[in-house]
Amino acid sequence: MKKLLIITALAVAPLMVTSVQAADSSTKITFAKDSYCGSFTGNIRDGKVFRLWLMPDQNLIIRNVGDDQINVAYVTGPNGRLSGDRYDKENSYFIQRKGNHHMKVYGNSSHSAVEFCAY
């Protein structure tokens, strides 16, 4: 009987364990109705991860609209890291697959202004 209880407990134990997912600590970017852009203003000196749902064949533009310098550390999508082009005050990425995309952006002051556009 004791052996049966142990076997039953071992069989049921995995069913009782719930999976815990890490909370998504990224900041969601939303667009106003009929707009192609959303923005963030604040402190990104230590880096901040932003999240944006994008569709295939869109062009993502991350633009510095403030007075400081920004650096886009990475942009990732459902297929992994994206490579992009850097221009004067903006970075451009071509989106190949729909889904959440994450962008880590750094600023060099305590007040930055960043615009995210998808065309």
Side-chain angles (χ1 to χ4, degrees):
M1 181 68 169
K2 193 182 217 181
K3 194 174 192 179
L4 181 61
L5 287 175
I6 292 173
I7 292 172
T8 304
L10 290 174
V12 175
L15 299 174
M16 298 170 67
V17 176
T18 58
S19 66
V20 178
Q21 293 181 352
D24 190 352
S25 61
S26 60
T27 300
K28 183 178 179 182
I29 299 297
T30 57
F31 297 167
K33 186 176 179 180
D34 298 327
S35 175
Y36 295 101
C37 299
S39 62
F40 175 85
T41 302
N43 188 349
I44 57 173
R45 176 174 246 157
D46 294 329
K48 189 161 192 65
V49 177
F50 299 95
R51 179 178 75 249
L52 184 59
W53 180 268
L54 297 168
M55 297 299 289
D57 300 326
Q58 284 187 304
N59 188 23
L60 170 66
I61 305 292
I62 303 172
R63 186 176 293 125
N64 180 7
V65 291
D67 294 328
D68 68 339
Q69 299 291 318
I70 67 162
N71 178 37
V72 178
Y74 63 80
V75 174
T76 60
N79 288 347
R81 194 170 276 214
L82 302 176
S83 60
D85 296 313
R86 179 164 172 77
Y87 303 101
D88 184 33
K89 286 193 157 203
E90 67 184 38
N91 292 26
S92 175
Y93 300 87
F94 181 74
I95 305 306
Q96 297 177 346
R97 189 167 168 202
K98 75 175 177 179
N100 273 322
H101 288 70
H102 292 82
M103 300 130 273
K104 186 156 192 176
V105 182
Y106 289 89
N108 70 344
S109 72
S110 61
H111 186 79
S112 299
V114 183
E115 182 177 60
F116 301 89
C117 299
Y119 302 103

